[in-house]
Amino acid sequence: MLTFEQLAETFSPGEAIKEELEERGWSQRDLAAIMGVQPSIVNGIIKGTKPISLDLARNLAAAFGTSAQYWVNMDTSYRLHLVPTPHIATSVRSQLYEVAPVNEMIKRGWIESAYDVEVLQSRIEAFYGRPLEQINSGDLCYAARQGTEYGDGPTPAQRAWLRRARILAKAVQAGSFTSSSIDAAIEKLRPLMSHADEARHVPRVLAECGIRFLVIEHLPQTRIDGVCLWLDEQRPVIAVSMRYDRLDYFWFTILHELGHVNKRDGLTTVLAPDVDLVGEKASKTDLKPEVEQMADLFASEHMIKRSEMENFIMRVKPMFSKVKIQGFALRQGVHPAIVIGQLQHRGAIHWSHSREFLVKVRNIITSTALTDGWGQILPNIS
């Protein structure tokens, strides 16, 4: 039996009606009178210039003893057959939007807008450096702090952010990365933790130690905090999103990613994304994969030694007054925000405790780092 699609290639509803009329010996005027419509309506249906509405389909069904669905299906198939060219442009755009956050990328200036779908596709492919069908199967190696459950792969928006980080990192100048770079970086970074303004020196210090650093505003719902990636074996990159504008979050993110660099994480393997670094949704360190536990411990140890932190908690809990926190921070040579962040992360104090110490740092960092976002649009870098 022919399908309606195949039937539409040889028969229109008008031709079917003409056959019905011939079999019954009716004229078009006869059918119009039977249906109670103007003869011009019947003539329009037969010529194919008038679509068959649901009401007309019911009327034709009553006149010829068929079903209304028969006429609706035949008319729909016929009209689709009249426009044989599929909506290729729509299909391609659908693929583009599945693999990339197109509107956000245009908004952020990562790609130029284009009405022509072929031009848009070429720009997206140029951004990712690969054909459309290979974008989601990319070979990005990274150790990322992202807001999805462990084991999930990057979303299209997360992948776009990571790709942008890799592109922009090429424009950051840095010295040679050697086996002693991490120790040198820690030695230079540690004195900067006592005052918020000192964070402005972080990009320079990391560059001197052969580590490229940049700030990229996160895309909506990506929840990426930072990433360790490698341009090659001698060019590590740390990119942060500054999703939370607070000093403790900044330092923990920097040192966490530095821990990944230290272990060469993300150089040859892809690590599963994990959950938020700070805040009430942050996962406890001992619940994370081993590679993330190591990076967490590296960060914590180089802000405040674990033994010092645990000793302070044992001596003071549960009375963590602002005075005691400030005194401990002073002895450790760090800003009180770093102490508060560590206490919160360990569950020793509530997230609302001493929030006045959690100073903002984003503007300080972006004043000295290569920054993409918050109204700053960088030119495309090949």
Side-chain angles (χ1 to χ4, degrees):
M1 177 179 290
L2 292 176
T3 64
F4 278 107
E5 290 78 8
Q6 294 169 324
L7 194 63
E9 295 180 6
T10 53
F11 288 98
S12 68
E15 291 173 331
I17 290 173
K18 283 194 291 184
E19 285 192 357
E20 293 285 350
L21 295 179
E22 289 176 5
E23 288 182 8
R24 289 168 171 76
W26 293 349
S27 67
Q28 291 186 27
R29 284 187 173 275
D30 291 336
L31 180 59
I34 291 169
M35 294 175 62
V37 298
Q38 294 294 322
S40 60
I41 293 178
V42 172
N43 185 256
I45 295 173
I46 290 175
K47 286 183 176 180
T49 59
K50 182 172 182 59
I52 297 177
S53 65
L54 294 179
D55 185 60
L56 284 175
R58 294 189 185 97
N59 214 339
L60 286 168
F64 294 130
T66 60
S67 69
Q69 191 69 51
Y70 172 83
W71 297 105
V72 170
N73 289 348
M74 183 179 290
D75 189 62
T76 300
S77 297
Y78 171 68
R79 297 196 178 282
L80 287 173
H81 180 67
L82 292 178
V83 188
T85 304
H87 288 269
I88 297 176
T90 299
S91 177
V92 174
R93 285 195 187 93
S94 176
Q95 295 178 59
L96 294 175
Y97 277 74
E98 284 179 1
V99 302
V102 179
N103 286 335
E104 285 297 327
M105 291 169 69
I106 293 172
K107 180 181 177 182
R108 293 282 293 273
W110 296 1
I111 60 172
E112 291 184 45
S113 179
Y115 178 78
D116 186 284
V117 70
E118 291 184 2
V119 175
L120 182 61
Q121 178 177 340
S122 67
R123 289 173 178 172
I124 290 176
E125 290 177 337
F127 175 85
Y128 287 97
R130 62 194 60 194
L132 173 61
E133 60 272 13
Q134 295 180 15
I135 290 175
N136 273 344
S137 60
D139 56 0
L140 281 177
C141 290
Y142 61 94
R145 304 288 308 182
Q146 306 174 22
T148 55
E149 293 300 321
Y150 297 119
D152 292 344
T155 65
Q158 290 169 348
R159 187 178 292 278
W161 190 94
L162 293 168
R163 177 61 182 169
R164 183 62 170 173
R166 182 175 290 277
I167 292 172
L168 294 182
K170 298 175 183 178
V172 180
Q173 299 298 313
S176 298
F177 181 74
T178 67
S179 58
S180 61
S181 289
I182 299 298
D183 290 339
I186 292 296
E187 184 178 354
K188 294 179 180 180
L189 291 174
R190 191 63 177 72
L192 305 181
M193 297 182 197
S194 59
H195 299 284
D197 288 343
E198 294 297 286
R200 70 186 186 277
H201 298 299
V202 169
R204 173 184 56 79
V205 168
L206 291 177
E208 290 173 352
C209 297
I211 303 168
R212 288 157 173 79
F213 175 79
L214 60 152
V215 180
I216 304 176
E217 182 183 1
H218 75 107
L219 295 175
Q221 300 180 349
T222 57
R223 298 169 64 190
I224 292 179
D225 295 319
V227 64
C228 158
L229 57 86
W230 300 74
L231 299 181
D232 55 46
E233 292 184 0
Q234 300 301 320
R235 294 189 294 168
V237 178
I238 290 178
V240 299
S241 69
M242 296 303 299
R243 190 161 61 96
Y244 295 111
D245 190 3
R246 45 188 282 185
L247 187 65
D248 64 307
Y249 165 81
F250 167 74
W251 277 112
F252 192 79
T253 303
I254 293 295
L255 291 171
H256 179 97
E257 303 307 336
L258 198 58
H260 281 310
V261 177
N262 184 49
K263 291 292 187 179
R264 303 300 193 271
D265 296 335
L267 181 57
T268 59
T269 60
V270 176
L271 300 183
D274 51 49
V275 296
D276 306 38
L277 271 174
V278 300
E280 296 182 63
K281 295 182 180 180
S283 295
K284 297 297 182 184
T285 294
D286 58 1
L287 299 179
K288 298 178 182 180
E290 183 178 359
V291 66
E292 295 297 335
Q293 291 187 33
M294 296 298 292
D296 270 4
L297 293 175
F298 182 94
S300 298
E301 187 71 12
H302 287 95
M303 288 191 294
I304 303 172
K305 289 188 178 299
R306 184 192 302 185
S307 58
E308 294 287 342
M309 195 75 228
E310 291 177 350
N311 181 265
F312 174 68
I313 293 173
M314 290 298 297
R315 288 188 295 103
V316 176
K317 70 175 184 181
M319 304 301 292
F320 294 100
S321 68
K322 293 178 175 60
V323 172
K324 291 178 180 178
I325 288 174
Q326 285 179 298
F328 179 66
L330 183 62
R331 292 192 299 275
Q332 296 300 314
V334 299
H335 193 280
I338 292 177
V339 177
I340 291 167
Q342 286 294 289
L343 290 172
Q344 289 176 340
H345 187 68
R346 291 164 176 262
I349 61 174
H350 191 267
W351 300 102
S352 61
H353 194 293
S354 303
R355 294 189 64 86
E356 66 270 23
F357 289 131
L358 302 180
V359 297
K360 297 182 182 297
V361 71
R362 182 189 296 152
N363 289 339
I364 297 172
I365 297 301
T366 56
S367 67
T368 58
L370 180 67
T371 300
D372 183 334
W374 301 284
Q376 298 186 57
I377 299 179
L378 298 178
N380 291 323
I381 300 169
S382 59

